[in-house]
Amino acid sequence: MHEDGNGGGRRVGAAASASGADEEYLSLERELTVLLRRARASQGEMAREVHPDLESAAYGLLVRLDECGRQRATELAAYIGVGKATMSRQLRALESLGLVAREPDPADGRAWLVHLTDEGRHRVGKVREARRGRYVSQLAHWDRREVAELARLLHQLNRGMEK
């Protein structure tokens, strides 16, 4: 598969001869590949906007904490789809940057709850607001119902792909 200059793609070789339902799945794969590539690049930019030393992968943790509030590290790891060791390393890095803090879980003294610090909430909020502004600008020619339908379908896709 090769991308053209406009982010589209054209199939070459055996994939081009697919027919029927296969064509829809090939198209889905192609568009998701482009979307995910762009999303990874965008996530890196947003992470650096939050803090120059922030790893790209940690941005999703900050967004999750911003949306859901205090959570156990194990809940975050399950949501993001990483192991405990990876989650611990990312949380230590976020703590050292002053973006998150831990506190004992009142329901279980052995566990800890992670939450955004005031500084973390401020920085994440600023970046998320700028990103929403870009979406509004980029999709200004779309009907709001189309935007809502895209969000609904992406949510459905994400739910279907949960482990």
Side-chain angles (χ1 to χ4, degrees), residues 36-96:
L36 292 172
R37 180 181 47 78
R38 289 180 178 158
R40 276 191 298 273
S42 178
Q43 185 172 351
E45 292 170 12
M46 290 180 290
R48 286 185 295 280
E49 288 176 27
V50 170
H51 192 284
D53 297 329
L54 184 63
E55 285 184 29
S56 176
Y59 180 78
L61 293 175
L62 296 175
V63 169
R64 180 69 174 181
L65 289 169
D66 188 40
E67 290 178 347
C68 299
R70 290 170 166 77
Q71 292 197 319
R72 288 183 178 185
T74 54
E75 293 171 318
L76 288 168
Y79 177 77
I80 300 293
V82 298
K84 290 180 186 180
T86 299
M87 182 55 56
S88 292
R89 182 183 58 76
Q90 288 183 346
L91 290 175
R92 279 193 306 276
L94 291 170
E95 275 186 296
S96 72

Side-chain angles (χ1 to χ4, degrees), residues 92-114:
R92 279 193 306 276
L94 291 170
E95 275 186 296
S96 72
L97 296 174
L99 301 173
V100 302
R102 299 181 205 211
E103 63 185 45
D105 184 345
D108 181 353
R110 300 167 298 168
W112 293 86
L113 294 174
V114 181

Side-chain angles (χ1 to χ4, degrees), residues 2-160:
H2 300 289
E3 288 186 17
D4 64 23
N6 294 321
R10 58 180 164 66
R11 289 170 309 285
V12 295
S17 65
S19 63
D22 288 343
E23 187 63 31
E24 290 84 1
Y25 289 100
L26 286 170
S27 179
L28 174 63
E29 187 264 342
R30 179 177 56 250
E31 296 304 325
L32 282 175
T33 298
V34 173
L35 177 66
L36 292 172
R37 180 181 47 78
R38 289 180 178 158
R40 276 191 298 273
S42 178
Q43 185 172 351
E45 292 170 12
M46 290 180 290
R48 286 185 295 280
E49 288 176 27
V50 170
H51 192 284
D53 297 329
L54 184 63
E55 285 184 29
S56 176
Y59 180 78
L61 293 175
L62 296 175
V63 169
R64 180 69 174 181
L65 289 169
D66 188 40
E67 290 178 347
C68 299
R70 290 170 166 77
Q71 292 197 319
R72 288 183 178 185
T74 54
E75 293 171 318
L76 288 168
Y79 177 77
I80 300 293
V82 298
K84 290 180 186 180
T86 299
M87 182 55 56
S88 292
R89 182 183 58 76
Q90 288 183 346
L91 290 175
R92 279 193 306 276
L94 291 170
E95 275 186 296
S96 72
L97 296 174
L99 301 173
V100 302
R102 299 181 205 211
E103 63 185 45
D105 184 345
D108 181 353
R110 300 167 298 168
W112 293 86
L113 294 174
V114 181
H115 62 91
L116 290 176
T117 62
D118 290 341
E119 179 69 12
R121 187 171 292 103
H122 169 74
R123 288 177 178 237
V124 170
K126 186 175 168 184
V127 171
R128 292 188 80 195
E129 185 62 34
R131 182 173 63 168
R132 275 189 297 277
R134 286 192 297 270
Y135 288 154
V136 168
S137 174
Q138 291 168 339
L139 301 177
H141 62 286
W142 285 39
D143 183 284
R144 289 181 80 93
R145 290 173 299 209
E146 292 175 317
V147 174
E149 179 66 2
L150 176 60
R152 185 190 70 75
L153 289 170
L154 288 171
H155 177 75
Q156 184 177 333
L157 176 66
N158 285 327
R159 294 291 302 223

